[in-house]
Amino acid sequence: MGLYRTVLEGHEETLGWQDFQAAAPAGYTGDAALTDARFDAQYDYEWDDTPSHKGYRVDHVQVSVTLDRASMWSHKPSRTPELLKHEQGHYDIVALGARDLFNELTG
């Protein structure tokens, strides 16, 4: 029996400066930008009584990666392609974690 309603979403975003909607904090020092990315997982499980399995199995897996753009900020004079690539890396780390969890739950 296969998984039903299984989805991994939001894991292929490409950031742009328009995603950084918040103002840089007052008294800004050091960091030039903040990316706020997270993932959430929901799943069901049920007892599988088939002779080949006999045990609980995960079903209805949904893993979602989201950006909280309203919390993301950048210091506008510091905006460079290199900084955007760096911030993309923060997002990519979260997306890779989400993908790995999805693969573990559905594998």
Side-chain angles (χ1 to χ4, degrees), residues 17 80-90 92:
W17 289 122
T80 63
E82 294 79 17
L83 179 58
L84 187 58
K85 183 177 179 181
H86 174 86
E87 295 305 312
Q88 180 72 46
H90 290 296
D92 290 345

Side-chain angles (χ1 to χ4, degrees), residues 12-50:
E12 297 180 320
E13 295 276 343
T14 300
L15 299 182
W17 289 122
Q18 72 279 2
D19 293 312
F20 296 79
Q21 297 175 359
Y28 142 84
T29 59
D31 293 336
L34 175 90
T35 297
D36 190 350
R38 63 184 61 105
F39 69 86
D40 179 55
Q42 297 178 353
Y43 60 91
D44 294 329
Y45 60 91
E46 60 185 39
W47 182 258
D48 185 347
D49 205 17
T50 59

Side-chain angles (χ1 to χ4, degrees), residues 8-13 15 34-41 63-68 72 85-103:
L8 172 62
E9 58 190 7
H11 64 291
E12 297 180 320
E13 295 276 343
L15 299 182
L34 175 90
T35 297
D36 190 350
R38 63 184 61 105
F39 69 86
D40 179 55
V63 179
S64 303
V65 180
T66 57
L67 290 169
D68 184 355
M72 293 171 50
K85 183 177 179 181
H86 174 86
E87 295 305 312
Q88 180 72 46
H90 290 296
Y91 167 82
D92 290 345
I93 290 168
V94 173
L96 287 170
R99 186 203 62 198
D100 289 350
L101 176 62
F102 180 81
N103 289 338

